[in-house]
Amino acid sequence: MASHGKESDTAVEAMVAQVEKHPISSILIIIAMQTEALPVVNKFQLTENPHSSFPKGVPWVHYHGTYKDIKINLVWPGKDLTFGVDSVGTISASLVTYGSIQALEPDLIINAGTAGGFKAKGAGIGDVFLVSHLAFHDRRIPIPTGRLSTGDSLDMSPQDEASITANDATVKDMEGAAVAYVADLLKVPAIFVKAVTDLVDGEKPTAEEFLQNLAAVTAALDQAVTQVVDFISGKCLSEL
């Protein structure tokens, strides 16, 4: 007789296979910062949901609407309750991804946001990348290599730089790999769209360049997210 664990795995696999045969009807967009999120909210004419089913007390903000017969939910983590700044980083991204999957049950996740780029790898300000692989660069353990490297700091320490180089990363962010970890854990496919605000290996200070380019680059980001959703419209997961 099969064990309970094996029966559960089989049921999940069957459910995933069934979902892959139907057109995508629900997308969850996860974005870390309000400045990044609002252009996408406006682009898809989403409205804020003041009565979300998220855990009581979390500052997460939920927008929803319909675009080309696809139900779109957009969630950003909101403002830190202590410091009043955007709740960026891997911990917040992991919690929001988990809570949103449980509450909203999406067919597909899109993690969109800004990132630092590496001039040595051909990245330029305003470039938008559809990410192929992800990795954490501040975990001091062996990890698979990736094109997007994720950590909890805007700047880059020598140890981070060594990991990022080993990962062969083109862009560096603070949420992507965390979203990927939770999405993979809960068997929800995910797409990662990252727009470059600053060059990590450039001449300008990272924070200065990031703030200087943030508004313009978020405009490019919302265009890229729209293109991705337009491409997805009418398709099944197996066709992506």
Side-chain angles (χ1 to χ4, degrees):
M1 184 172 69
S3 68
H4 179 71
K6 289 182 179 179
E7 290 176 351
S8 298
D9 290 344
T10 301
V12 170
E13 290 171 2
M15 181 179 66
V16 170
Q18 190 70 16
V19 168
E20 287 181 346
K21 296 177 183 178
H22 291 84
I24 294 166
S25 61
S26 175
I27 294 175
L28 167 63
I29 302 175
I30 297 176
I31 302 183
M33 297 178 64
Q34 184 179 35
T35 303
E36 299 167 335
L38 290 182
V40 180
V41 168
N42 295 333
K43 187 76 172 185
F44 293 112
Q45 299 182 338
L46 306 179
T47 56
E48 186 172 349
N49 177 12
H51 307 293
S52 72
S53 54
F54 295 145
K56 184 179 179 180
V58 300
W60 309 342
V61 183
H62 174 214
Y63 295 90
H64 61 105
T66 302
Y67 177 81
K68 294 188 175 181
D69 296 325
I70 298 176
K71 183 177 180 181
I72 295 181
N73 291 290
L74 184 150
V75 181
W76 71 281
K79 299 290 185 179
D80 182 274
L81 297 176
T82 302
F83 299 104
V85 298
D86 289 304
S87 297
V88 300
T90 58
I91 294 174
S92 182
S94 297
L95 289 171
V96 166
T97 302
Y98 181 84
S100 297
I101 290 174
Q102 295 296 310
L104 303 172
E105 300 182 341
D107 295 331
L108 177 72
I109 294 171
I110 298 175
N111 173 225
T114 56
F118 290 89
K119 185 170 60 174
K121 304 297 290 185
I125 302 297
D127 288 349
V128 181
F129 289 86
L130 192 62
V131 176
S132 60
H133 298 85
L134 303 97
F136 289 100
H137 60 250
D138 57 1
R139 287 187 176 179
R140 312 298 182 217
I141 55 176
I143 52 176
T145 60
R147 302 297 181 186
L148 169 66
S149 199
T150 296
D152 278 309
S153 297
L154 185 64
D155 61 0
M156 181 174 65
S157 71
Q159 293 91 340
D160 291 344
E161 183 176 8
S163 294
I164 291 168
T165 300
N167 294 339
D168 195 27
T170 303
V171 287
K172 166 187 174 291
D173 83 339
M174 297 173 66
E175 291 84 24
V179 173
Y181 171 78
V182 178
D184 183 64
L185 195 67
L186 300 182
K187 309 302 180 189
V188 182
I191 294 172
F192 299 84
V193 183
K194 300 294 173 177
V196 177
T197 50
D198 55 276
L199 297 175
V200 184
D201 55 350
E203 291 74 30
K204 292 185 178 181
T206 297
E208 176 186 322
E209 193 169 33
F210 169 76
L211 293 172
Q212 178 183 336
N213 296 313
L214 181 59
V217 172
T218 52
L221 181 67
D222 91 74
Q223 292 176 12
V225 172
T226 304
Q227 290 175 331
V228 170
V229 175
D230 285 339
F231 176 80
I232 289 168
S233 179
K235 291 184 173 65
C236 304
L237 289 173
S238 58
E239 297 178 285
L240 299 183

